[in-house]
Amino acid sequence: ETLSAELRMGTADDDALLRLHESADKTAIDCPFGWPDRFIDFVTQHRQGEPVAMRLPPPTNNGKTDFSSLRYRETDRFIKKELDLSPLSVATDRLGNTALRCAALLEKMHVRDRSGQTGKVIEVHPAAAIEAWDPRSKDKRLHRGYKGYSRNAPRNREQLVAVLFDAVNLDVDRFELERSDDLLDAFICALVARAATLGLLAPVPPELSSQARREGWIRVPMPGSLRQLAGPAASTPRPDRSGELPQPHLPFEAHQDR
């Protein structure tokens, strides 16, 4: 089976994104779906004039305070532990600007479960997906250095695109993917959406399920599942942990930049 996609550059307004969402079987968005519970509790108490100092961890030996418990969601810590990647903090990095728009967009999409365990919308982190599909030693990781306009970025994108084309029979403009890291990120999100329809996503840990529904959860494909996105291995959909069977059409969706 051949997977095809239409690649689009440019800024899309919410209405355009919603039309794409409505026509898709699965929507993958590269942006945090929520904020850390502890951060929300801290800010809420501060707004109400209640004591918040007790919520901060004690200073370390060098006198500095580690704010990571407020800055990062459970999914961010999980990705760090399992894949040795460090997602940006939606609470304290500029990523928060994008997350505000995403929150409004999720409301328009009627998303209630931000963990992606139910419904048709999932949160994706392209670098995490790449690492799950093709793990390598730290100095040779495929997701290192493919973004931006550095001297090595074009070569790194070519290497990443070559891995994707080698694993999956794709009818996509290869040159466009190599030229733009934004298009490449969007395409990787689309491949994860494809994995979601085939039941090829790693499950959310049961003990974190409730918190993930509030904070959001980065959905990562099962290790080594890239080659199963097309062909006989992907012809029989499997249900995910929600028990829902995916729809048969191939979804490709827009994304928000991290």
Side-chain angles (χ1 to χ4, degrees):
E1 182 180 353
T2 299
L3 303 185
S4 61
E6 178 183 350
L7 305 176
R8 301 178 186 178
M9 282 291 289
T11 302
D13 60 28
D14 285 4
D15 289 340
L17 293 176
L18 289 171
R19 286 193 295 271
L20 287 171
H21 166 69
E22 290 169 359
S23 65
D25 298 315
K26 211 74 174 180
T27 299
I29 302 178
D30 175 16
C31 183
F33 280 12
W35 282 260
D37 279 357
R38 293 179 182 177
F39 173 77
I40 295 296
D41 293 342
F42 182 90
V43 173
T44 299
Q45 286 194 238
H46 176 66
R47 180 180 183 275
Q48 295 172 346
E50 299 177 4
V52 294
M54 65 184 66
R55 287 188 172 273
L56 298 178
T60 59
N61 293 334
N62 61 9
K64 295 183 178 180
T65 300
D66 180 8
F67 294 104
S68 60
S69 62
L70 299 177
R71 297 182 63 207
Y72 296 104
R73 303 174 296 160
E74 284 300 326
T75 186
D76 302 326
R77 283 187 275 272
F78 187 84
I79 292 295
K80 175 64 176 177
K81 176 183 176 183
E82 298 296 325
L83 298 177
D84 195 23
L85 296 175
S86 300
L88 295 175
S89 166
V90 65
T92 55
D93 284 316
R94 287 184 297 175
L95 179 64
N97 292 330
T98 306
L100 292 174
R101 183 189 178 193
C102 182
L105 196 59
L106 292 176
E107 180 181 334
K108 294 177 181 178
M109 292 177 175
H110 307 292
V111 173
R112 298 293 179 265
D113 176 7
R114 299 174 195 144
S115 70
Q117 296 175 98
T118 59
K120 61 183 287 186
V121 186
I122 58 173
E123 178 184 339
V124 177
H125 190 297
I130 295 167
E131 184 63 20
W133 278 326
D134 195 322
R136 303 188 179 199
S137 59
K138 195 163 188 176
D139 60 334
K140 296 181 179 179
R141 286 182 165 184
L142 284 173
H143 57 79
R144 290 172 62 93
Y146 77 89
K147 291 180 179 289
Y149 301 95
S150 68
R151 183 178 62 180
N152 294 328
R155 182 182 62 187
N156 293 335
R157 285 195 293 273
E158 290 175 5
Q159 181 185 13
L160 174 53
V161 170
V163 169
L164 297 178
F165 273 74
D166 179 62
V168 186
N169 190 16
L170 298 171
D171 178 17
V172 184
D173 190 328
R174 184 167 182 161
F175 172 76
E176 289 297 317
L177 293 178
E178 294 172 346
R179 185 176 67 89
S180 168
D181 56 5
D182 287 331
L183 278 179
L184 184 52
D185 276 349
F187 184 65
I188 292 169
C189 286
L191 291 179
V192 179
R194 169 69 169 177
T197 66
L198 298 174
L200 294 175
L201 297 183
V204 178
E207 68 275 13
L208 298 176
S209 179
S210 178
Q211 191 167 355
R213 292 175 187 274
R214 297 188 300 271
E215 294 186 342
W217 191 267
I218 296 170
R219 301 309 303 269
V220 177
M222 292 181 181
S225 63
L226 182 59
R227 293 186 180 276
Q228 300 180 52
L229 299 186
S235 61
T236 304
R238 299 183 301 176
D240 61 17
R241 288 181 63 86
S242 70
E244 294 183 348
L245 281 172
Q247 298 299 314
H249 305 296
L250 177 63
F252 282 91
E253 262 304 343
H255 80 296
Q256 311 281 346
D257 288 335
R258 284 190 185 271

